[in-house]
């Protein structure tokens, strides 16, 4: 667990303070190994997204230990958390592309933090990544000229642009139909297995069960015990819309 890209122990988190504090996470232990795809599932309000934002250094830790890509987040400074975020690829349910930029420019934005890379090199790299996700011929298209599945592919390309050590995905297939959702998760599986990049994905979507190495279920801010043999996947709960 100590060498895992993600290793959490006894993580507890609450919204509010004092008597108004509302616990969201309670004594959470979870790890994600190199190249492992872990699905995080559970009912709405169970703490999945909060856990993802803590791992992604988008929130400051309150209790416990969280080591992500070698960085201990408990007690980490804002500067340390910003530096870690640059090493993580984020994919969200809504693609969050900028409508006035082309697909190539949206992907290249993820490379702007690297001051040593000029604009021409960033755009060239963005074009290469778009080609890797099957959109090599759509680099000059704006988001409104792309289908939902294509927009999500651009979001995947943007997440990959900085060669991240970890991918965090929050319901990346929820707004997609079966075919396009399947295409997106196959891309992610290829990334995890081909490059050894671990993926932690929040989902309610039972259609993507087969890509998981492991399924972690949450309820009321806690990790539920695994069912069946050690390491066996836990079935997803009923699909809810």
């Amino acid at each position: 667990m100590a060498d895992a890209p993600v290793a959490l122990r006894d993580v507890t988190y609450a919204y509010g303070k004092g008597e108004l504090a509302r616990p969201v996470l309670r004594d959470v232990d979870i790890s994600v190994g190199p190249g492992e795809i872990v699905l995080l599932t559970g009912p709405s309000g169970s703490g999945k997204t909060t856990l993802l934002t803590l791992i992604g250094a988008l929130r400051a830790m309150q209790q416990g230990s969280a080591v992500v890509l070698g960085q201990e987040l408990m007690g980490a400074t804002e500067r340390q958390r910003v530096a870690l975020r640059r090493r993580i690829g984020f994919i969200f349910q809504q693609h969050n592309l900028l409508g006035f930029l082309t697909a190539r420019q949206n992907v290249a934005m993820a490379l702007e933090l690297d001051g040593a890379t000029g604009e021409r090199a960033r755009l060239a790299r963005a074009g290469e990544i778009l080609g890797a996700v099957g959109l090599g011929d759509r680099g000059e298209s704006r988001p409104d000229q792309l289908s939902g599945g294509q927009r999500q592919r651009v979001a995947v390309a943007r997440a990959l642009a900085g060669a991240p050590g970890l991918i965090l995905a929050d319901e990346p297939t929820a707004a997609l139909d079966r075919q396009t959702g399947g295409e997106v998760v196959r891309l992610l599986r290829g990334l995890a297995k081909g490059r050894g990049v671990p993926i932690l994905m929040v989902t309610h979507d039972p259609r993507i069960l087969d890509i998981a190495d492991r399924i972690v279920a949450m309820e009321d801010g806690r990790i539920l015990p695994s069912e069946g043999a050690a390491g066996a996947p836990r079935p997803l709960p009923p699909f809810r819309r």
Side-chain angles (χ1 to χ4, degrees):
M1 180 171 178
D3 296 328
V6 176
L8 275 63
R9 178 173 295 178
D10 298 329
V11 171
T12 295
Y13 190 89
Y15 292 125
K17 297 182 179 180
E19 295 181 356
L20 298 178
R22 181 172 66 87
V24 180
L25 299 174
R26 299 174 173 85
D27 301 318
V28 170
D29 292 352
I30 186 173
S31 65
V32 183
E36 188 178 23
I37 301 176
V38 176
L39 300 187
L40 192 61
T41 189
S44 298
S46 59
K48 304 182 302 299
T49 296
T50 298
L51 181 58
L52 207 69
T53 58
L54 283 173
I55 293 170
L58 298 173
R59 300 179 188 274
M61 289 276 293
Q62 293 177 348
Q63 292 181 246
S65 171
V67 179
V68 179
L69 300 180
Q71 172 67 58
E72 171 60 72
L73 289 174
M74 185 63 193
T77 65
E78 177 64 16
R79 184 173 183 176
Q80 289 172 320
R81 290 194 290 119
V82 169
L84 178 60
R85 288 199 291 269
R86 294 175 180 174
R87 301 170 58 200
I88 298 174
F90 296 91
I91 304 171
F92 303 99
Q93 177 177 342
Q94 301 300 326
H95 47 75
N96 295 331
L97 302 179
L98 294 179
F100 59 89
L101 296 180
T102 66
R104 187 191 307 269
Q105 290 168 331
N106 268 284
V107 174
M109 280 188 63
L111 298 170
E112 289 186 2
L113 293 173
D114 181 3
T117 305
E119 181 179 3
R120 180 175 295 182
R122 289 197 299 268
L123 290 171
R125 172 62 177 158
E128 293 172 3
I129 300 171
L130 284 171
V133 300
L135 292 177
D137 60 341
R138 303 307 301 269
E140 304 312 310
S141 300
R142 294 190 307 273
D144 62 0
Q145 297 171 316
L146 300 172
S147 68
Q150 288 172 330
R151 289 193 291 269
Q152 195 64 305
R153 281 174 176 260
V154 175
V156 171
R158 182 179 57 190
L160 303 183
L166 170 67
I167 294 287
L168 300 178
D170 193 359
E171 299 279 9
T173 64
L176 304 177
D177 61 32
R178 182 181 184 88
Q179 179 177 345
T180 54
E183 292 171 354
V184 168
V185 296
R186 282 191 292 273
L187 281 171
L188 294 174
R189 178 171 56 191
L191 169 71
K193 302 310 176 187
R195 303 186 188 180
V197 179
I199 297 174
L200 180 60
M201 184 187 306
V202 169
T203 186
H204 287 99
D205 190 344
R207 301 171 299 179
I208 64 174
L209 176 63
D210 61 347
I211 76 160
D213 295 305
R214 188 157 45 94
I215 299 171
V216 176
M218 292 188 68
E219 187 173 310
D220 295 330
R222 299 182 186 276
I223 301 292
L224 297 180
S226 298
E227 294 180 351
R234 182 188 180 93
L236 283 170
F239 187 40
R240 300 175 183 174
R241 280 287 190 191

